[in-house]
Amino acid sequence: MMMTILSIIINITYFVVLNTNIYTDRAMMPTGEVREWHRSPITRLNISDQSFLVYLQIVLAAVSIITSVLFLFGVRSSKIRTIQWISTIGSTIVFIIIMIVTSNLHANYA
């Protein structure tokens, strides 16, 4: 029961972090001034055409949350539990990959 609630909270936290502006991008403009943008990991993935990672995160988180809600409503099946564990672990792995990839992205502004 505790893992079910924790799974829902973890996936919601992942989406909050992915939508928070935690990166600062700076680029030299043709006029010679430096422009600065504050971006979220999702925005940086969209700029670099790697948005498939966001979609993968959404799918895994949705499956995890749906199976957690089913488990909370009394569906006690070993298959549901297994799917919940796999999707929660997968969502965590994809979140870590997204954070690593976005920390190493440098968008070019030409």
Side-chain angles (χ1 to χ4, degrees):
M1 180 71 133
M2 187 62 137
M3 178 57 190
T4 304
I5 296 169
L6 189 61
S7 174
I8 294 171
I9 292 170
I10 286 171
N11 282 303
I12 290 171
T13 305
Y14 290 161
F15 279 109
V16 169
V17 170
L18 289 176
N19 286 307
T20 303
N21 292 333
I22 57 176
Y23 296 113
T24 302
D25 291 339
R26 290 181 185 89
M28 184 69 86
M29 295 287 112
T31 59
E33 64 184 282
V34 175
R35 177 117 188 245
E36 189 173 282
W37 295 270
H38 299 284
R39 305 215 171 167
S40 67
I42 291 177
T43 306
R44 287 186 93 174
L45 286 174
N46 287 334
I47 288 173
S48 65
D49 292 330
Q50 295 180 356
S51 58
F52 69 92
L53 289 171
V54 176
Y55 296 129
L56 182 61
Q57 175 70 27
I58 290 171
V59 168
L60 289 171
V63 169
S64 176
I65 290 172
I66 290 170
T67 54
S68 296
V69 169
L70 285 173
F71 196 77
L72 284 175
F73 284 135
V75 179
R76 306 277 185 216
S77 172
S78 63
K79 291 180 185 177
I80 296 293
R81 181 55 102 183
T82 304
I83 292 171
Q84 178 194 9
W85 276 97
I86 291 170
S87 60
T88 302
I89 292 169
S91 177
T92 302
I93 290 170
V94 171
F95 175 76
I96 292 169
I97 290 171
I98 287 173
M99 295 308 288
I100 291 170
V101 167
T102 56
S103 69
N104 292 323
L105 284 178
H106 300 287
N108 293 330
Y109 301 97

